[in-house]
Amino acid sequence: MSTSSTANASTAGPDPSLYQYQPLVHSSGEIRLIKIRRAQESQENGPNAAILLEISLFHAPLDQASPYLAVSYTWGDPTPTHKLLVNGAPLWVPSNTFRTLYTIHCSVQKTKTELYQAGEEVALWIDALCINQLDIAEKNVQVPRMGQIYRQARGAIGYIGAPPAGKKPEDGFLALAWFGNAPVIKPPDGIPADQSDPRFQAWYREHQIQKESEPPEDFGEALTGLFVSDWFVRCWVIQEMVLSRETVCLYGYGQEAKSWSLSTMVMLIDRGQNHATHRRDLGRAVKGRGGGGGGVGNWHEMQKAIQVDSWRVLREDLVKKPGGLGIVDLLSRTRVGKATDLRDKVYALLGLMNAEDVPAIRVDYSDSYLAAHLFRDVAVHCMASAEGPMTLVHAGLERSIPGLPTWVPDWSAKYRSPLTTGIYNACANLFRPINVLPGGRKISALGIKVDAIAYTGIPMSYPDARLQVRDATTSTGPDVYGLVLSAAIICGRLRERLGGATGYVLKHENWPDVIWRTCCMDRSWAGKRVTAEDRASFQACLRRFGFGEDVLAAVKVDEATGRMPVENASRILEDTALQEAALGFELMVIDLQKGRVLGTTAGGFFGSFPSTARPGDVVVVLFGGWAPFVLRPVGEDVFELVGAAYVHGIMDGEWVEAVLAAEDTEIFREFVVQ
């Protein structure tokens, strides 16, 4: 959803026959609602959509409005291309607005769902029509009320879009059902879709798939085809799906669309993730390994399934905190959300925020208040609170908006894998608010310098959903084992520089353990710190293929050629059995290491740094920072923030505690960041 693009040309010209909006009475809490009266054949919309929709639009106070359904969809191309008749007058709307309304009309006419009966006349709220998109003053009032609009609606209709050409809507649902161990797309009549209901649980236990079989034909293509729609990652959709009482999703177009309860979709994704074979099945959907998987190599699309489950988590968290969540927490969870107007990255979350943060948000769609101004205002608001250091975790040099201070998160920048909130404690619970210096361009924070970065490897990305790691001294090639081997090479160099040390600094761990724990940032698939069980599982997988304690020998560089022996790399990288056994680890590491680079510090620490880090940057622990930060000196006692880092051996406050034990408080200093 977007609220910033021109939705129609109704007021763009002098033609009095075009539909003209009447002002809302904001003091009375008025909103607009629509009803679709009928669809008739027409030649005016072209051969691809020869349908004309007739719609009535009316005003009503929100607190007195008759039961209505809110519509959730993606705008797509905002160019007005299709004509509607609104209260008898023409109005032009974008293609996807028309497709959404026509599909809803067809579904309501013929289908009974959790929200409407077949043939029922329903009132709808849809932003493109119910907010005058050409009236900035009206948008500034109505947008902050959208959370209330979706919360008060009797439910929402989410239009996902249509499947790829040649595919049927039910194909994606059936693939998702198999992924979630469900015997059919949804429970039969009389069995609720609520997985907490005892009747559902009894039915599910009796009929669930036992997953020993191979996935259905074209499983990967059908599953990723379902999630190809940007509806799953539009920032407005997050609030809409979290606040709506019940949601019916429509997939397909017009008469061919199928309805699907969002609660059932969430249930299947949740069940699939909790099943023992989840990571293997997800790997098959992405890569098509193991036979019969039908993988299409699209990890990006499958991440959208994870976003759907995040809606469930947000809803549960709001039950625990009915007053709303913190702004940085919300922005970090929803950073992957897309928005046409970058200000909507913040505005789309107003209905989920707590009362302390909402007043600090200036809703202003005028041309003089840009996204850069909004992002900086949010950061300034957060600096004086406990959320200040957490705000810095999402900031740094990687920005797409020019001119932002490095301590201000650019929520529109390319998504870099963040460190998981709350599982580290680098500052050992020491806290002091961050000061915004006069002028608003710099901040000052108290902290400790740990070490300087001495070496960085090759930044990691994963074009075509395959992790690429290239190094002039290796022949590693793609996939997670390229990363693990590259990490082993770096650790090998580090050990040699430290005089052949047999154990890692501070904790004196063995090197293979340091390697894999850093590759996964000491984080399990479930987002918690790794356990003994996690370690045993990972190490058993590697030891099975002779890649345990001998890892450093396997990647030792030949002094004559300066390269790692090809046979050592090939033995590991080309072993398909190893790849199949470790698919779950591979997907996790790929996700965690995107946009990062492995490297070492001068004193012997090994870590995963932001991809923009380079030798000479310094690692610091700021008071209140549960993760260490990388700063770049740019002047006398002035730094730029490169970003947050995982540095093995200091994530639980070990370094700070060592300083406190030595009573060496003289190394505490103020870091000025611009």
Side-chain angles (χ1 to χ4, degrees), residues 83-306:
K83 187 173 80 170
L84 309 177
L85 285 181
V86 180
N87 297 347
L91 181 146
W92 291 82
V93 298
S95 174
N96 216 40
T97 302
F98 168 83
R99 291 172 64 86
T100 300
L101 291 173
Y102 178 57
T103 302
I104 291 173
H105 174 72
C106 293
S107 179
V108 171
Q109 291 299 306
K110 68 175 184 177
T111 306
K112 174 185 175 182
T113 70
E114 293 87 341
L115 291 180
Y116 48 82
Q117 302 292 322
E120 179 184 353
E121 181 182 73
V122 297
L124 303 172
W125 187 93
I126 181 170
D127 65 332
L129 302 180
C130 297
I131 297 178
N132 182 357
Q133 299 296 324
L134 300 178
D135 187 338
I136 291 176
E138 179 176 299
K139 288 171 62 177
N140 291 346
V141 174
Q142 289 293 305
V143 167
R145 304 185 67 199
M146 286 177 62
Q148 183 182 358
I149 289 171
Y150 278 85
R151 189 183 288 110
Q152 186 166 315
R154 62 171 168 148
I157 299 175
Y159 181 57
I160 297 175
K167 298 296 179 182
K168 299 177 181 179
E170 54 266 31
D171 292 343
F173 292 150
L174 286 169
L176 183 60
W178 190 91
F179 179 72
N181 301 344
V184 292
I185 291 180
K186 56 185 176 181
D189 290 342
I191 303 295
D194 181 3
Q195 58 181 310
S196 64
D197 191 288
R199 292 169 293 172
F200 173 87
Q201 294 175 353
W203 168 80
Y204 191 88
R205 284 194 301 269
E206 182 180 353
H207 294 91
Q208 68 176 336
I209 295 171
Q210 294 303 312
K211 280 300 186 73
E212 280 79 13
S213 61
E214 290 296 324
E217 192 72 22
D218 297 328
F219 166 70
E221 187 174 356
L223 195 57
T224 54
L226 173 64
F227 291 104
V228 73
S229 170
D230 276 348
W231 181 77
F232 292 102
V233 290
R234 295 300 292 182
C235 61
W236 280 106
V237 173
I238 299 165
Q239 174 177 266
E240 294 159 6
M241 294 301 96
V242 171
L243 296 180
S244 297
R245 301 178 188 179
E246 179 66 60
T247 299
V248 168
C249 296
L250 299 181
Y251 184 44
Y253 174 63
Q255 300 289 347
E256 303 301 318
K258 301 295 182 182
S259 64
W260 183 259
S261 168
L262 178 67
S263 61
T264 302
M265 183 181 295
V266 170
M267 177 269 294
L268 290 174
I269 293 172
D270 184 39
R271 292 271 174 170
Q273 289 189 96
N274 289 330
H275 195 272
T277 62
H278 161 64
R279 284 173 282 184
R280 184 198 69 186
D281 297 333
L282 188 56
R284 285 173 169 171
V286 173
K287 296 178 179 290
R289 292 177 179 163
V296 295
N298 203 328
W299 169 239
H300 300 279
E301 305 304 348
M302 285 311 304
Q303 283 184 301
K304 296 177 182 178
I306 300 173

Side-chain angles (χ1 to χ4, degrees), residues 449-489:
K449 176 183 174 181
V450 178
D451 205 356
I453 295 177
Y455 174 80
T456 58
I458 302 299
M460 286 156 283
S461 62
Y462 56 117
D464 302 320
R466 296 175 70 82
L467 187 65
Q468 305 288 334
V469 181
R470 302 286 183 182
D471 189 307
T473 61
T474 75
S475 303
T476 58
D479 286 341
V480 72
Y481 295 100
L483 170 64
V484 175
L485 290 171
S486 179
I489 292 170

Side-chain angles (χ1 to χ4, degrees), residues 308-467:
V308 174
D309 196 50
S310 74
W311 303 341
R312 172 188 62 82
V313 176
L314 274 173
R315 184 189 290 266
E316 292 174 352
D317 288 348
L318 283 173
V319 171
K320 300 173 186 175
K321 297 181 178 180
L325 303 177
I327 184 171
V328 177
D329 183 24
L330 285 170
L331 285 166
S332 64
R333 294 201 211 186
T334 61
R335 190 165 188 169
V336 296
K338 297 182 179 180
T340 303
D341 187 320
L342 297 180
R343 292 170 291 192
D344 288 338
K345 298 280 287 186
V346 178
Y347 297 157
L349 302 173
L350 283 168
L352 308 177
M353 288 182 198
N354 60 39
E356 292 76 19
D357 290 330
V358 169
I361 305 303
R362 172 182 169 184
V363 179
D364 185 351
Y365 280 101
S366 66
D367 292 340
S368 61
Y369 189 65
L370 305 178
H373 302 141
L374 175 60
F375 292 169
R376 187 167 63 180
D377 287 349
V378 169
V380 169
H381 164 69
C382 294
M383 284 302 123
S385 71
E387 289 197 316
M390 189 170 81
T391 305
L392 298 182
V393 170
H394 304 281
L397 288 176
E398 196 170 356
R399 294 165 291 170
S400 59
I401 297 178
L404 274 184
T406 61
W407 54 271
V408 175
D410 180 355
W411 300 107
S412 68
K414 182 181 177 180
Y415 185 63
R416 182 182 67 243
S417 177
L419 297 174
T420 305
T421 303
I423 69 172
Y424 310 111
N425 187 22
C427 67
N429 295 320
L430 296 180
F431 174 76
R432 197 186 78 169
I434 297 172
N435 296 318
V436 179
L437 300 180
R441 299 293 302 180
K442 298 178 181 179
I443 60 172
S444 174
L446 185 66
I448 309 170
K449 176 183 174 181
V450 178
D451 205 356
I453 295 177
Y455 174 80
T456 58
I458 302 299
M460 286 156 283
S461 62
Y462 56 117
D464 302 320
R466 296 175 70 82
L467 187 65

Side-chain angles (χ1 to χ4, degrees), residues 9-89:
S10 61
T11 59
D15 189 346
S17 65
L18 295 176
Y19 178 76
Q20 302 293 315
Y21 278 99
Q22 298 302 309
L24 290 169
V25 181
H26 298 306
S27 60
S28 299
E30 277 192 346
I31 62 170
R32 297 185 183 92
L33 297 172
I34 69 167
K35 291 184 178 180
I36 305 175
R37 295 304 182 185
R38 66 171 180 162
Q40 60 180 337
E41 293 186 3
S42 169
Q43 299 302 314
E44 295 186 54
N45 279 333
N48 295 326
I51 298 293
L52 178 65
L53 293 177
E54 295 187 14
I55 292 171
S56 63
L57 187 151
F58 55 97
H59 295 197
L62 178 56
D63 58 0
Q64 302 174 26
S66 59
Y68 62 91
L69 298 174
V71 179
S72 175
Y73 74 112
T74 60
W75 276 46
D77 186 346
T79 305
T81 56
H82 288 66
K83 187 173 80 170
L84 309 177
L85 285 181
V86 180
N87 297 347

